[in-house]
Amino acid sequence: MSWLEGTVPCSGSNVLADLPDHVTWEGLHLEVQRRHGKPIHIVPAPAGLGQDVTGLWLEKAEQSWIFHAAGESELLRRHVILHEYGHILLMHGGCELTLGNAFSHIGGSRRIKTLLGRSSIWTAQEVAAEDAATRLASRLTQKVDPLLEAF
């Protein structure tokens, strides 16, 4: 069974089925890109994203971006990224977010496929992505010094 077979679009129950028990941050990013089938760029969000929005996934045909709130702690930044990975891995689609003027200039002419944001509004997709983020976080490991592993 493949990694995503058997998953329901808003469910995180099988999102980790084929993922190793322990994975580095870099390894996870590469694996999510591989499964997504395109590069994923992670950058601070532009000003004006909205005070309730801490993260955003924007997908185009050839690449995706994950935006995170600038100036947040490293722990929150990583959790937001994991949440957006959850949306990507669960193959969520559609826009559940009112963005005000933050991305008003992109419109339909930029061929955006998916635009999902992490906010304080909890839809079924947001709950599933949050569950996936928590499950992904439990798989992360730190790189261990090979010398220390000997003891």
Side-chain angles (χ1 to χ4, degrees):
M1 175 184 263
S2 81
W3 192 51
L4 291 174
E5 283 178 355
T7 61
V8 177
C10 286
S11 169
S13 59
N14 293 331
V15 75
L16 303 179
D18 292 342
L19 193 65
D21 288 338
H22 303 287
V23 63
T24 64
W25 183 257
E26 295 80 14
L28 178 61
H29 180 76
L30 292 173
E31 185 63 16
V32 173
Q33 283 186 130
R34 186 185 74 74
R35 293 167 194 251
H36 187 43
K38 61 186 85 173
I40 301 169
H41 308 283
I42 300 173
V43 296
L49 184 60
Q51 70 185 67
D52 283 346
V53 180
T54 57
L56 179 83
W57 165 39
L58 185 147
E59 179 186 14
K60 292 180 73 172
E62 62 282 349
Q63 56 193 326
S64 282
W65 287 266
I66 293 175
F67 296 96
H68 58 84
E72 296 293 347
S73 72
E74 180 68 10
L75 183 61
L76 179 57
R77 184 184 75 79
R78 285 189 177 224
H79 184 77
V80 166
I81 293 165
L82 291 172
H83 177 97
E84 300 308 328
Y85 284 168
H87 282 303
I88 291 168
L89 296 171
L90 293 167
M91 298 180 286
H92 288 165
C95 184
E96 295 187 339
L97 178 66
T98 302
L99 292 173
N101 62 9
F103 289 93
S104 60
H105 63 285
I106 56 178
S109 65
R110 303 290 180 128
R111 297 189 319 260
I112 305 242
K113 288 179 63 175
T114 305
L115 183 62
L116 284 173
R118 183 175 187 273
S119 73
S120 60
I121 300 168
W122 289 98
T123 64
Q125 282 191 21
E126 288 303 301
V127 170
E130 195 67 11
D131 178 62
T134 302
R135 291 169 182 256
L136 289 170
S138 73
R139 300 286 178 106
L140 288 173
T141 81
Q142 298 298 320
K143 289 184 180 176
V144 177
D145 185 322
L147 178 61
L148 295 175
E149 283 187 325
F151 296 100

mmCIF file of all heavy atoms in Angstrom, residues 84-129:
data_model
loop_
_atom_site.group_PDB
_atom_site.id
_atom_site.type_symbol
_atom_site.label_atom_id
_atom_site.label_comp_id
_atom_site.label_asym_id
_atom_site.label_seq_id
_atom_site.Cartn_x
_atom_site.Cartn_y
_atom_site.Cartn_z
ATOM 1 N N GLU A 84 1.294 22.762 7.390
ATOM 2 C CA GLU A 84 1.132 22.920 5.941
ATOM 3 C C GLU A 84 1.558 21.651 5.209
ATOM 4 O O GLU A 84 0.936 21.264 4.218
ATOM 5 C CB GLU A 84 1.900 24.144 5.441
ATOM 6 C CG GLU A 84 1.453 25.462 6.059
ATOM 7 C CD GLU A 84 -0.046 25.740 5.989
ATOM 8 O OE1 GLU A 84 -0.703 25.311 5.017
ATOM 9 O OE2 GLU A 84 -0.560 26.393 6.909
ATOM 10 N N TYR A 85 2.604 20.966 5.700
ATOM 11 C CA TYR A 85 2.949 19.652 5.144
ATOM 12 C C TYR A 85 1.742 18.720 5.257
ATOM 13 O O TYR A 85 1.482 17.925 4.350
ATOM 14 C CB TYR A 85 4.114 19.024 5.897
ATOM 15 C CG TYR A 85 5.493 19.555 5.617
ATOM 16 C CD1 TYR A 85 6.545 19.200 6.456
ATOM 17 C CD2 TYR A 85 5.780 20.379 4.532
ATOM 18 C CE1 TYR A 85 7.832 19.650 6.231
ATOM 19 C CE2 TYR A 85 7.067 20.836 4.307
ATOM 20 C CZ TYR A 85 8.092 20.460 5.159
ATOM 21 O OH TYR A 85 9.376 20.901 4.935
ATOM 22 N N GLY A 86 1.030 18.791 6.362
ATOM 23 C CA GLY A 86 -0.166 17.971 6.537
ATOM 24 C C GLY A 86 -1.178 18.211 5.429
ATOM 25 O O GLY A 86 -1.725 17.261 4.863
ATOM 26 N N HIS A 87 -1.447 19.486 5.118
ATOM 27 C CA HIS A 87 -2.364 19.795 4.011
ATOM 28 C C HIS A 87 -1.865 19.175 2.710
ATOM 29 O O HIS A 87 -2.639 18.588 1.949
ATOM 30 C CB HIS A 87 -2.487 21.310 3.813
ATOM 31 C CG HIS A 87 -3.374 21.997 4.786
ATOM 32 N ND1 HIS A 87 -4.697 21.667 4.975
ATOM 33 C CD2 HIS A 87 -3.124 23.049 5.623
ATOM 34 C CE1 HIS A 87 -5.230 22.468 5.885
ATOM 35 N NE2 HIS A 87 -4.293 23.303 6.303
ATOM 36 N N ILE A 88 -0.567 19.314 2.455
ATOM 37 C CA ILE A 88 0.005 18.802 1.208
ATOM 38 C C ILE A 88 -0.130 17.280 1.158
ATOM 39 O O ILE A 88 -0.589 16.722 0.157
ATOM 40 C CB ILE A 88 1.486 19.227 1.086
ATOM 41 C CG1 ILE A 88 1.574 20.751 0.860
ATOM 42 C CG2 ILE A 88 2.182 18.466 -0.039
ATOM 43 C CD1 ILE A 88 2.972 21.325 1.016
ATOM 44 N N LEU A 89 0.255 16.612 2.224
ATOM 45 C CA LEU A 89 0.238 15.151 2.230
ATOM 46 C C LEU A 89 -1.172 14.582 2.216
ATOM 47 O O LEU A 89 -1.401 13.489 1.681
ATOM 48 C CB LEU A 89 1.009 14.635 3.442
ATOM 49 C CG LEU A 89 2.499 14.983 3.429
ATOM 50 C CD1 LEU A 89 3.136 14.624 4.761
ATOM 51 C CD2 LEU A 89 3.213 14.307 2.278
ATOM 52 N N LEU A 90 -2.119 15.306 2.782
ATOM 53 C CA LEU A 90 -3.519 14.872 2.767
ATOM 54 C C LEU A 90 -4.236 15.285 1.488
ATOM 55 O O LEU A 90 -5.410 15.013 1.318
ATOM 56 C CB LEU A 90 -4.252 15.429 3.991
ATOM 57 C CG LEU A 90 -3.789 14.851 5.322
ATOM 58 C CD1 LEU A 90 -4.330 15.678 6.480
ATOM 59 C CD2 LEU A 90 -4.207 13.401 5.456
ATOM 60 N N MET A 91 -3.509 15.960 0.607
ATOM 61 C CA MET A 91 -4.029 16.401 -0.690
ATOM 62 C C MET A 91 -5.257 17.293 -0.549
ATOM 63 O O MET A 91 -6.227 17.169 -1.292
ATOM 64 C CB MET A 91 -4.305 15.194 -1.591
ATOM 65 C CG MET A 91 -3.058 14.396 -1.897
ATOM 66 S SD MET A 91 -3.310 12.969 -2.956
ATOM 67 C CE MET A 91 -4.101 11.817 -1.831
ATOM 68 N N HIS A 92 -5.204 18.172 0.445
ATOM 69 C CA HIS A 92 -6.298 19.130 0.603
ATOM 70 C C HIS A 92 -6.276 20.125 -0.544
ATOM 71 O O HIS A 92 -5.228 20.444 -1.082
ATOM 72 C CB HIS A 92 -6.155 19.886 1.931
ATOM 73 C CG HIS A 92 -6.457 19.030 3.112
ATOM 74 N ND1 HIS A 92 -6.111 19.390 4.392
ATOM 75 C CD2 HIS A 92 -7.084 17.826 3.220
ATOM 76 C CE1 HIS A 92 -6.501 18.458 5.234
ATOM 77 N NE2 HIS A 92 -7.093 17.488 4.539
ATOM 78 N N GLY A 93 -7.427 20.614 -0.913
ATOM 79 C CA GLY A 93 -7.523 21.583 -1.987
ATOM 80 C C GLY A 93 -8.545 22.636 -1.658
ATOM 81 O O GLY A 93 -9.340 22.492 -0.749
ATOM 82 N N GLY A 94 -8.484 23.731 -2.378
ATOM 83 C CA GLY A 94 -9.458 24.789 -2.203
ATOM 84 C C GLY A 94 -8.999 25.843 -1.232
ATOM 85 O O GLY A 94 -8.050 25.658 -0.494
ATOM 86 N N CYS A 95 -9.671 26.952 -1.252
ATOM 87 C CA CYS A 95 -9.305 28.079 -0.404
ATOM 88 C C CYS A 95 -10.291 28.184 0.742
ATOM 89 O O CYS A 95 -11.481 28.345 0.527
ATOM 90 C CB CYS A 95 -9.294 29.367 -1.211
ATOM 91 S SG CYS A 95 -8.754 30.782 -0.261
ATOM 92 N N GLU A 96 -9.783 28.086 1.962
ATOM 93 C CA GLU A 96 -10.623 28.218 3.150
ATOM 94 C C GLU A 96 -10.316 29.509 3.886
ATOM 95 O O GLU A 96 -10.626 29.650 5.048
ATOM 96 C CB GLU A 96 -10.363 27.054 4.104
ATOM 97 C CG GLU A 96 -10.766 25.727 3.565
ATOM 98 C CD GLU A 96 -10.649 24.648 4.616
ATOM 99 O OE1 GLU A 96 -9.913 24.826 5.589
ATOM 100 O OE2 GLU A 96 -11.308 23.628 4.456
ATOM 101 N N LEU A 97 -9.693 30.444 3.229
ATOM 102 C CA LEU A 97 -9.115 31.579 3.922
ATOM 103 C C LEU A 97 -9.470 32.876 3.229
ATOM 104 O O LEU A 97 -9.413 32.970 2.015
ATOM 105 C CB LEU A 97 -7.591 31.386 3.931
ATOM 106 C CG LEU A 97 -6.727 32.441 4.552
ATOM 107 C CD1 LEU A 97 -6.997 32.504 6.057
ATOM 108 C CD2 LEU A 97 -5.270 32.108 4.301
ATOM 109 N N THR A 98 -9.841 33.866 3.998
ATOM 110 C CA THR A 98 -10.008 35.218 3.480
ATOM 111 C C THR A 98 -8.720 35.953 3.768
ATOM 112 O O THR A 98 -8.323 36.117 4.914
ATOM 113 C CB THR A 98 -11.181 35.928 4.164
ATOM 114 O OG1 THR A 98 -12.347 35.154 3.947
ATOM 115 C CG2 THR A 98 -11.386 37.312 3.599
ATOM 116 N N LEU A 99 -8.060 36.410 2.734
ATOM 117 C CA LEU A 99 -6.727 36.962 2.900
ATOM 118 C C LEU A 99 -6.653 38.479 2.914
ATOM 119 O O LEU A 99 -5.573 39.023 2.976
ATOM 120 C CB LEU A 99 -5.826 36.461 1.767
ATOM 121 C CG LEU A 99 -5.527 34.986 1.832
ATOM 122 C CD1 LEU A 99 -4.784 34.560 0.584
ATOM 123 C CD2 LEU A 99 -4.702 34.653 3.052
ATOM 124 N N GLY A 100 -7.766 39.149 2.828
ATOM 125 C CA GLY A 100 -7.673 40.605 2.773
ATOM 126 C C GLY A 100 -6.893 41.008 1.546
ATOM 127 O O GLY A 100 -7.123 40.499 0.468
ATOM 128 N N ASN A 101 -5.915 41.858 1.708
ATOM 129 C CA ASN A 101 -5.157 42.302 0.544
ATOM 130 C C ASN A 101 -3.774 41.669 0.440
ATOM 131 O O ASN A 101 -2.992 42.033 -0.412
ATOM 132 C CB ASN A 101 -5.015 43.825 0.566
ATOM 133 C CG ASN A 101 -4.248 44.300 1.779
ATOM 134 O OD1 ASN A 101 -3.682 43.523 2.530
ATOM 135 N ND2 ASN A 101 -4.232 45.614 1.973
ATOM 136 N N ALA A 102 -3.450 40.700 1.284
ATOM 137 C CA ALA A 102 -2.102 40.130 1.301
ATOM 138 C C ALA A 102 -1.691 39.538 -0.042
ATOM 139 O O ALA A 102 -0.572 39.701 -0.473
ATOM 140 C CB ALA A 102 -1.995 39.062 2.387
ATOM 141 N N PHE A 103 -2.599 38.825 -0.712
ATOM 142 C CA PHE A 103 -2.264 38.216 -1.979
ATOM 143 C C PHE A 103 -3.221 38.677 -3.085
ATOM 144 O O PHE A 103 -3.415 37.987 -4.062
ATOM 145 C CB PHE A 103 -2.303 36.687 -1.857
ATOM 146 C CG PHE A 103 -1.181 36.137 -1.044
ATOM 147 C CD1 PHE A 103 -1.341 35.916 0.311
ATOM 148 C CD2 PHE A 103 0.036 35.863 -1.622
ATOM 149 C CE1 PHE A 103 -0.306 35.405 1.071
ATOM 150 C CE2 PHE A 103 1.084 35.356 -0.876
ATOM 151 C CZ PHE A 103 0.913 35.127 0.475
ATOM 152 N N SER A 104 -3.816 39.839 -2.929
ATOM 153 C CA SER A 104 -4.810 40.312 -3.897
ATOM 154 C C SER A 104 -4.220 40.501 -5.291
ATOM 155 O O SER A 104 -4.936 40.409 -6.275
ATOM 156 C CB SER A 104 -5.451 41.612 -3.412
ATOM 157 O OG SER A 104 -4.455 42.602 -3.260
ATOM 158 N N HIS A 105 -2.918 40.711 -5.394
ATOM 159 C CA HIS A 105 -2.282 40.946 -6.686
ATOM 160 C C HIS A 105 -2.085 39.672 -7.509
ATOM 161 O O HIS A 105 -1.806 39.745 -8.691
ATOM 162 C CB HIS A 105 -0.923 41.622 -6.482
ATOM 163 C CG HIS A 105 0.046 40.780 -5.721
ATOM 164 N ND1 HIS A 105 -0.044 40.592 -4.360
ATOM 165 C CD2 HIS A 105 1.100 40.037 -6.145
ATOM 166 C CE1 HIS A 105 0.938 39.788 -3.971
ATOM 167 N NE2 HIS A 105 1.632 39.440 -5.021
ATOM 168 N N ILE A 106 -2.237 38.477 -6.924
ATOM 169 C CA ILE A 106 -1.920 37.281 -7.685
ATOM 170 C C ILE A 106 -3.075 36.808 -8.549
ATOM 171 O O ILE A 106 -2.865 36.399 -9.660
ATOM 172 C CB ILE A 106 -1.389 36.148 -6.778
ATOM 173 C CG1 ILE A 106 -2.361 35.826 -5.670
ATOM 174 C CG2 ILE A 106 -0.046 36.488 -6.222
ATOM 175 C CD1 ILE A 106 -1.912 34.698 -4.785
ATOM 176 N N GLY A 107 -4.285 36.829 -8.039
ATOM 177 C CA GLY A 107 -5.467 36.511 -8.834
ATOM 178 C C GLY A 107 -5.361 35.254 -9.669
ATOM 179 O O GLY A 107 -4.426 34.484 -9.559
ATOM 180 N N GLY A 108 -6.343 35.044 -10.523
ATOM 181 C CA GLY A 108 -6.400 33.866 -11.372
ATOM 182 C C GLY A 108 -5.361 33.856 -12.472
ATOM 183 O O GLY A 108 -5.046 32.807 -13.010
ATOM 184 N N SER A 109 -4.818 35.002 -12.820
ATOM 185 C CA SER A 109 -3.863 35.057 -13.913
ATOM 186 C C SER A 109 -2.536 34.392 -13.560
ATOM 187 O O SER A 109 -1.724 34.137 -14.430
ATOM 188 C CB SER A 109 -3.604 36.507 -14.314
ATOM 189 O OG SER A 109 -2.968 37.193 -13.251
ATOM 190 N N ARG A 110 -2.301 34.082 -12.294
ATOM 191 C CA ARG A 110 -1.031 33.462 -11.879
ATOM 192 C C ARG A 110 -1.126 31.946 -11.788
ATOM 193 O O ARG A 110 -0.213 31.300 -11.334
ATOM 194 C CB ARG A 110 -0.580 34.026 -10.529
ATOM 195 C CG ARG A 110 -0.408 35.509 -10.488
ATOM 196 C CD ARG A 110 0.791 35.921 -11.317
ATOM 197 N NE ARG A 110 0.937 37.362 -11.261
ATOM 198 C CZ ARG A 110 2.036 37.983 -10.939
ATOM 199 N NH1 ARG A 110 3.125 37.308 -10.672
ATOM 200 N NH2 ARG A 110 2.081 39.291 -10.926
ATOM 201 N N ARG A 111 -2.249 31.362 -12.200
ATOM 202 C CA ARG A 111 -2.459 29.908 -12.248
ATOM 203 C C ARG A 111 -2.231 29.223 -10.907
ATOM 204 O O ARG A 111 -1.579 28.191 -10.819
ATOM 205 C CB ARG A 111 -1.586 29.294 -13.338
ATOM 206 C CG ARG A 111 -1.941 29.786 -14.726
ATOM 207 C CD ARG A 111 -1.228 29.035 -15.812
ATOM 208 N NE ARG A 111 0.158 28.726 -15.565
ATOM 209 C CZ ARG A 111 1.183 29.409 -16.062
ATOM 210 N NH1 ARG A 111 0.973 30.429 -16.837
ATOM 211 N NH2 ARG A 111 2.415 29.035 -15.806
ATOM 212 N N ILE A 112 -2.799 29.778 -9.857
ATOM 213 C CA ILE A 112 -2.690 29.185 -8.524
ATOM 214 C C ILE A 112 -3.620 27.981 -8.461
ATOM 215 O O ILE A 112 -4.792 28.075 -8.796
ATOM 216 C CB ILE A 112 -3.077 30.218 -7.459
ATOM 217 C CG1 ILE A 112 -2.232 31.437 -7.642
ATOM 218 C CG2 ILE A 112 -3.074 29.587 -6.077
ATOM 219 C CD1 ILE A 112 -1.335 31.853 -6.606
ATOM 220 N N LYS A 113 -3.101 26.836 -8.030
ATOM 221 C CA LYS A 113 -3.901 25.619 -7.901
ATOM 222 C C LYS A 113 -4.551 25.531 -6.533
ATOM 223 O O LYS A 113 -5.710 25.157 -6.413
ATOM 224 C CB LYS A 113 -3.017 24.384 -8.108
ATOM 225 C CG LYS A 113 -2.575 24.179 -9.530
ATOM 226 C CD LYS A 113 -1.689 22.961 -9.656
ATOM 227 C CE LYS A 113 -2.440 21.710 -9.282
ATOM 228 N NZ LYS A 113 -1.686 20.479 -9.497
ATOM 229 N N THR A 114 -3.785 25.798 -5.484
ATOM 230 C CA THR A 114 -4.272 25.631 -4.119
ATOM 231 C C THR A 114 -3.781 26.780 -3.267
ATOM 232 O O THR A 114 -2.650 27.216 -3.413
ATOM 233 C CB THR A 114 -3.741 24.308 -3.512
ATOM 234 O OG1 THR A 114 -4.092 23.242 -4.373
ATOM 235 C CG2 THR A 114 -4.306 24.072 -2.121
ATOM 236 N N LEU A 115 -4.649 27.251 -2.374
ATOM 237 C CA LEU A 115 -4.278 28.291 -1.428
ATOM 238 C C LEU A 115 -4.972 27.960 -0.115
ATOM 239 O O LEU A 115 -6.184 28.044 -0.009
ATOM 240 C CB LEU A 115 -4.726 29.662 -1.940
ATOM 241 C CG LEU A 115 -4.357 30.881 -1.122
ATOM 242 C CD1 LEU A 115 -2.847 31.022 -1.031
ATOM 243 C CD2 LEU A 115 -4.957 32.122 -1.739
ATOM 244 N N LEU A 116 -4.195 27.485 0.852
ATOM 245 C CA LEU A 116 -4.737 27.127 2.157
ATOM 246 C C LEU A 116 -3.927 27.821 3.230
ATOM 247 O O LEU A 116 -2.705 27.862 3.157
ATOM 248 C CB LEU A 116 -4.673 25.616 2.398
ATOM 249 C CG LEU A 116 -5.704 24.770 1.675
ATOM 250 C CD1 LEU A 116 -5.398 23.293 1.868
ATOM 251 C CD2 LEU A 116 -7.091 25.068 2.173
ATOM 252 N N GLY A 117 -4.607 28.337 4.230
ATOM 253 C CA GLY A 117 -3.909 29.016 5.308
ATOM 254 C C GLY A 117 -4.247 28.444 6.661
ATOM 255 O O GLY A 117 -5.331 27.925 6.880
ATOM 256 N N ARG A 118 -3.283 28.529 7.580
ATOM 257 C CA ARG A 118 -3.480 28.077 8.954
ATOM 258 C C ARG A 118 -3.954 29.271 9.756
ATOM 259 O O ARG A 118 -3.271 30.280 9.838
ATOM 260 C CB ARG A 118 -2.164 27.542 9.514
ATOM 261 C CG ARG A 118 -2.288 26.980 10.906
ATOM 262 C CD ARG A 118 -0.957 26.365 11.332
ATOM 263 N NE ARG A 118 -1.116 25.677 12.588
ATOM 264 C CZ ARG A 118 -1.002 26.270 13.770
ATOM 265 N NH1 ARG A 118 -0.747 27.550 13.849
ATOM 266 N NH2 ARG A 118 -1.154 25.574 14.870
ATOM 267 N N SER A 119 -5.125 29.168 10.341
ATOM 268 C CA SER A 119 -5.690 30.295 11.073
ATOM 269 C C SER A 119 -6.422 29.795 12.309
ATOM 270 O O SER A 119 -6.391 28.616 12.630
ATOM 271 C CB SER A 119 -6.654 31.088 10.173
ATOM 272 O OG SER A 119 -7.843 30.360 9.976
ATOM 273 N N SER A 120 -7.116 30.704 12.975
ATOM 274 C CA SER A 120 -7.846 30.331 14.185
ATOM 275 C C SER A 120 -9.211 29.713 13.877
ATOM 276 O O SER A 120 -9.928 29.306 14.778
ATOM 277 C CB SER A 120 -8.028 31.565 15.078
ATOM 278 O OG SER A 120 -8.755 32.553 14.379
ATOM 279 N N ILE A 121 -9.577 29.608 12.611
ATOM 280 C CA ILE A 121 -10.843 28.997 12.202
ATOM 281 C C ILE A 121 -10.584 27.513 11.966
ATOM 282 O O ILE A 121 -9.760 27.136 11.145
ATOM 283 C CB ILE A 121 -11.387 29.668 10.921
ATOM 284 C CG1 ILE A 121 -11.614 31.151 11.179
ATOM 285 C CG2 ILE A 121 -12.660 28.975 10.450
ATOM 286 C CD1 ILE A 121 -11.871 31.960 9.928
ATOM 287 N N TRP A 122 -11.284 26.630 12.705
ATOM 288 C CA TRP A 122 -11.013 25.200 12.655
ATOM 289 C C TRP A 122 -12.060 24.451 11.833
ATOM 290 O O TRP A 122 -13.086 24.055 12.338
ATOM 291 C CB TRP A 122 -10.927 24.640 14.072
ATOM 292 C CG TRP A 122 -9.695 25.122 14.727
ATOM 293 C CD1 TRP A 122 -9.581 26.175 15.580
ATOM 294 C CD2 TRP A 122 -8.383 24.623 14.539
ATOM 295 N NE1 TRP A 122 -8.270 26.360 15.935
ATOM 296 C CE2 TRP A 122 -7.511 25.411 15.314
ATOM 297 C CE3 TRP A 122 -7.850 23.586 13.781
ATOM 298 C CZ2 TRP A 122 -6.137 25.194 15.354
ATOM 299 C CZ3 TRP A 122 -6.484 23.367 13.828
ATOM 300 C CH2 TRP A 122 -5.650 24.165 14.612
ATOM 301 N N THR A 123 -11.758 24.228 10.556
ATOM 302 C CA THR A 123 -12.590 23.408 9.689
ATOM 303 C C THR A 123 -12.097 21.960 9.795
ATOM 304 O O THR A 123 -11.075 21.681 10.430
ATOM 305 C CB THR A 123 -12.475 23.873 8.228
ATOM 306 O OG1 THR A 123 -11.116 23.669 7.814
ATOM 307 C CG2 THR A 123 -12.859 25.344 8.080
ATOM 308 N N ALA A 124 -12.787 21.044 9.134
ATOM 309 C CA ALA A 124 -12.357 19.646 9.138
ATOM 310 C C ALA A 124 -10.952 19.497 8.550
ATOM 311 O O ALA A 124 -10.140 18.724 9.054
ATOM 312 C CB ALA A 124 -13.355 18.793 8.354
ATOM 313 N N GLN A 125 -10.660 20.253 7.503
ATOM 314 C CA GLN A 125 -9.326 20.188 6.909
ATOM 315 C C GLN A 125 -8.269 20.715 7.879
ATOM 316 O O GLN A 125 -7.173 20.155 7.973
ATOM 317 C CB GLN A 125 -9.261 20.999 5.610
ATOM 318 C CG GLN A 125 -9.875 20.298 4.440
ATOM 319 C CD GLN A 125 -9.558 20.982 3.122
ATOM 320 O OE1 GLN A 125 -8.597 21.736 3.014
ATOM 321 N NE2 GLN A 125 -10.366 20.719 2.120
ATOM 322 N N GLU A 126 -8.586 21.780 8.597
ATOM 323 C CA GLU A 126 -7.622 22.343 9.553
ATOM 324 C C GLU A 126 -7.342 21.365 10.693
ATOM 325 O O GLU A 126 -6.204 21.215 11.120
ATOM 326 C CB GLU A 126 -8.125 23.674 10.107
ATOM 327 C CG GLU A 126 -8.083 24.807 9.100
ATOM 328 C CD GLU A 126 -6.683 25.023 8.544
ATOM 329 O OE1 GLU A 126 -5.747 25.300 9.328
ATOM 330 O OE2 GLU A 126 -6.516 24.912 7.318
ATOM 331 N N VAL A 127 -8.372 20.701 11.181
ATOM 332 C CA VAL A 127 -8.200 19.714 12.247
ATOM 333 C C VAL A 127 -7.322 18.562 11.744
ATOM 334 O O VAL A 127 -6.410 18.108 12.443
ATOM 335 C CB VAL A 127 -9.558 19.212 12.771
ATOM 336 C CG1 VAL A 127 -9.396 18.028 13.698
ATOM 337 C CG2 VAL A 127 -10.301 20.345 13.467
ATOM 338 N N ALA A 128 -7.589 18.081 10.531
ATOM 339 C CA ALA A 128 -6.803 16.981 9.969
ATOM 340 C C ALA A 128 -5.348 17.394 9.764
ATOM 341 O O ALA A 128 -4.430 16.614 10.047
ATOM 342 C CB ALA A 128 -7.422 16.520 8.649
ATOM 343 N N ALA A 129 -5.106 18.612 9.277
ATOM 344 C CA ALA A 129 -3.739 19.085 9.079
ATOM 345 C C ALA A 129 -3.018 19.247 10.416
ATOM 346 O O ALA A 129 -1.822 18.958 10.526
ATOM 347 C CB ALA A 129 -3.739 20.404 8.305
#
